[in-house]
Structures are given as structure tokens and as C-alpha cells.
Amino acid sequence: MGKYNYNPFSTEADKFICHEEIEETINFALNARSNYTLMSAIMRRASAGKGLSHRNAAALLMCDIPEINEKIYRLAKRIKLDYYGNRIVLFAPLYLSNYCVNGCVYCPYHVKNKHISRKKMTQDEIRQEVIALQDMGHKRLALELGEDPINNPIEYVLESIRTIYGIKHKNGSIRRVNVNIAATTVDNYRRLHEAGIGTYILFQETYNRERYEKLHPSGPKHDYAWHTEAMDRAMSGGIDDVGIGALFGLSTYLYEFIGLLMHAEHLEAVFGVGPHTISVPRLRPADDIQTTDFQDCISDDIFAKIVACLRIAVPYTGMIVSTRESPQTREKVLELGVSQISGGSKTSVGGYHNLGGEEDNSAQFEIADNRSLDEVVCWLLDKGYIPSFCTACYRAGRTGDKFMELCKDKQIHNFCHPNALITLEEYLQDYASEQTLTVGRQLIDSEIRSLNPKIRKRLVKYLAEIRSGKGRDFRF
Ligand code: SAM
């Protein structure tokens, strides 16, 4: 490494996501695919659970030796359990506005799409949507907006965040608002940070500059460097937790996989902390979009292997899968490394409260998991997972490098496990169906037994207070 212009410490997009380094890594991985000795050596290194470089991780992704592939899946499952236990964090997207000035050819919000209905919610409509989300049981949202300086200025986003945090309906509250808006300035990131956002999420879409420029022919998003360097500006603006992602299907999956890891290595090199989360969205059919027009869509098997190899490469980074994936695919990738999923999602503006009525066509893409949040919670419980609505780390200041340190030491369990059970109990008490309540209580009772006595004592007290209606929002 260190050849060409590649430099993970640089803040220039073409140096930390260096095309030549990606090409070399692709060659390395393709040449290594059947090399048993090399793959065994990489697996020995990986089994320490401290992560892998983009080169070694790419080699594992391309490995075609069945015995090693089995070991890859086994190791991914072990790392998942070691760092995340059986907890799965739940969230919902909230689409505030689909006005957009960009020309992204894969997204129905593109500016040339004249038949999709354009909508921007008023603060009153946001209140109705958030109450609908609170009534489902959600505590954590991801705000989604198109890019439009006139219709969706930063002031609108900030006002909406204030509205959302301010809504207290019955026992409901949104305790963490993550934000997925277009790349912006350091000053705007600072304002988002001051507004108390959780994670700033921005998908790179594709790390391949040439593809990127073709797929984003117009609008501010056309500027590859501005988009790729966004996380540097977000972190300079004080945002500790950033979430990266690539939209699989836009370019070759190996290129995107290497790009994601190089991006993570770059953030770690410059800011001392990698991304808080990695999302792995796959392209979906949408209004005006045919996935068959895209040659690089990936199979379920490759998708699962990407998740497993990411889990091994960046053990401390949360991984997110949305309702773009079917229940079957979600089940498979949960055990291989995914730590957060959305549930009961709507991708239309005003979709939770059905503000657009039956004729609404403002949705961003078709979802593949249409179950209600309660069905998703019950399904997770059935599979032995703890559905978690926890937002404690961010509210207790355990963000950025502080969070990563706890995660690396595996101490995070001492917080996350009881907090997951507390928030699950809140969900069961306030929102669950009879069936979910029964399975959930059984799971809580059996999980409590495995806790150390000091934590157990405090937890039992909190659970009793929630059950008797005396209190909410306890945390470790
Ligand atoms: N405007 C923001 C931006 O530019 O990043 C937020 C974008 S959008 C609300 C969130 C994400 O949806 C995009 O980053 C893109 O990856 C994804 N997306 C767009 N079209 C999609 C499609 N047809 N299928 C699946 N995901 C899609």
C-alpha cells in the first residue's frame, strides 16, 4: 500500500477512496480466491475478532473454497454474538419530504419524475405521523428527505427535529432521531449536532467515481468529492456517530465492499473512530425505476456473504438492514451480523397516518417486509432475539470513540443487555399484542437469570416499576 495516490489519512475523496487501490485489491482478491494457505492465514487473523484490512476482507468475500466459506459464516456468527449478543435494535424511517432537485437515475424522487406526488409535511402533519409511530411503539427514527434547498432547507429539518423530540403522547416518546439528508456544510452539520441528532446517515450509493457521475447526472449530488467527503465534514461539525452505506446493485459488489471498508479505515485514521453503522441496502423496484436496467444486482447468497464478511472486517460497527429485504433474507442476515432493522416501515411521505389517502404514490421504493412492528417483534422473540428499543448510549453520552472503546472491551453488554430488556418491557406493557406479550415476558424472565446479581437486582426493580405503571425510561 502507499502506492499511487492512496492515503487513508488524506481528506481528499480520490486519495482515501483511491480507484487504483480498489483495482489492485480486486486483483488480489480474485487471485486469492482458491488459495487455501492464504485463506487459512487470513482466517487465523480474523478469528481474533479485531477486524481485517480491506484487502484481506475482500479476499474472504471472493473465496471459493467451501470449507473456508463455512468457517467464514461460523466466525461471523460468533463475532455477532460476542459483540452484540442476541439483541436487535428496532427503528423506523420517517419521510418528511420527497421534493428533490437531483437527477439520481435509480431513485423515483429524481427531478424529472413528474408523475410521483410531491409532498412535504407541515409540522402538524409531522406531529400526526410521530404519534402514529409512537402508538406502534417506536422510540428511534431515521429522518429521510430529498435534497431541495428551497423546499427542504436545513431550518425545516431542524424545526422538524424539535417538533419530534417535543411530542409526548401517552407513554410514547421518540428518544433518538437519526438523520439521512444529503451531503451538507460543516456549519449545517454543527446545527444538526446541536439539535441532538443521533447518527448522521449518508449512503455513498456507489464508490466508483465514473459510475457515480453517470448515475447522478444533475443536481448538487453530482459532485462526487462533495458527497464522498461528507462524513469528514459531519465529524468536523461535532457529529460523533456517522452511518455509511452503499446501494448494492449500482456497481460491482466487490468494488462497493472494498469502498465501504476503505471509507471506514479512513474515518478511523483521521478521527480515531470508524463509522457507527454500515447499511447494506439493495436496489428495489420503484416508480419509474426498473431494477432490470441495472446489471449489477446481487443474489441473496452474495448478499449474505457480504454481511458475514463485513461482520468479520469491522466487528465494532453496527449493521443495518431495512424492509427492502424480505423476512426470509432478514432472518438469514440477522445471525450473520446485522444488529439493527426497521419494522412496520412506510417509505411514503405521511404513510404512517395515511395522510395521502388511498391514491398516494409518494413512496420511495417497494418494501419486501410488510409486517407490522408487533409482528416483527413477535418474530424476533420467536427466533430467540431480544427486540430492543434502546437509545441509552447516545443519551448517556456514550457516542463516538467512547462507545467504540466499550464495544472493543466487550463491556457494552453490561449496558445494552439490561437496557434492551427495559425497553422491551416498555414495549410489551404499552403496545404489544397478547401473543407478543406472552412470548416477550418468557424471554425477559429467562434472560434475567443470566445477568450478574448486581445488575439483576437493579433491573428487576425497574421492570416492576414499568409493569406497575410507576415509571418509564430507566437506563443503565
Ligand atoms: N437525499 C438524501 C441523500 O441524497 O442521501 C437521502 C436519500 S434517500 C431518502 C435514502 C436512500 O434511499 C438513498 O441514499 C438511496 O441509497 C436509497 N434509494 C434510492 N432509490 C432506491 C431504490 N430504488 N431502491 C432502494 N433504495 C433506494
Side-chain angles (χ1 to χ4, degrees), residues 160-177:
S160 305
I161 294 169
R162 276 193 300 275
T163 299
I164 295 167
Y165 277 136
I167 299 166
K168 302 279 175 273
H169 164 73
K170 299 184 183 162
N171 284 328
S173 60
I174 298 301
R175 299 171 180 162
R176 178 175 177 132
V177 176

Side-chain angles (χ1 to χ4, degrees), residues 179-241:
V179 173
N180 180 7
I181 59 164
T184 186
T185 60
V186 174
D187 194 42
N188 284 346
Y189 286 124
R190 191 166 296 117
R191 295 169 79 183
L192 287 170
H193 173 59
E194 286 162 5
I197 69 161
T199 312
Y200 171 64
I201 299 162
L202 182 70
F203 300 159
Q204 178 61 30
E205 319 301 5
T206 173
Y207 283 94
N208 184 322
R209 182 192 258 273
E210 212 183 310
R211 271 305 274 161
Y212 183 96
E213 287 171 354
K214 259 199 201 118
L215 294 167
H216 304 95
S218 61
K221 198 163 170 177
H222 176 71
D223 186 338
Y224 174 84
W226 178 251
H227 189 80
T228 310
E229 293 160 10
M231 292 314 189
D232 297 68
R233 293 194 300 281
M235 292 183 103
S236 304
I239 296 178
D240 278 347
D241 291 340

Side-chain angles (χ1 to χ4, degrees), residues 36-51:
Y36 189 89
T37 315
L38 178 60
M39 290 297 176
S40 302
I42 297 175
M43 283 304 287
R44 272 197 298 281
R45 177 173 291 210
S47 62
K50 305 271 181 243

Side-chain angles (χ1 to χ4, degrees), residues 24-82:
E24 284 252 327
T25 304
I26 290 173
N27 283 337
F28 170 76
L30 294 177
N31 287 330
R33 65 198 316 170
S34 309
N35 184 334
Y36 189 89
T37 315
L38 178 60
M39 290 297 176
S40 302
I42 297 175
M43 283 304 287
R44 272 197 298 281
R45 177 173 291 210
S47 62
K50 305 271 181 243
L52 283 180
S53 68
H54 61 270
R55 283 215 174 188
N56 284 337
L60 290 190
L61 182 63
M62 298 321 285
C63 177
D64 63 7
I65 307 164
E67 180 195 327
I68 302 280
N69 281 338
E70 258 177 51
K71 285 187 181 160
I72 290 173
Y73 290 119
R74 231 178 295 138
L75 179 60
K77 287 178 195 173
R78 198 195 85 203
I79 291 178
K80 164 84 200 291
L81 274 179
D82 278 358

Side-chain angles (χ1 to χ4, degrees), residues 95 106-108 144-147 180-182 202-203 205 221 247 282-284 286 324 364-365:
Y95 283 74
Y106 50 86
C107 178
E144 307 283 341
L145 291 94
E147 178 167 19
N180 180 7
I181 59 164
L202 182 70
F203 300 159
E205 319 301 5
K221 198 163 170 177
L247 184 55
R282 280 197 286 184
L283 194 65
R284 294 284 302 152
R324 288 178 184 86
Q364 198 193 9
F365 48 80

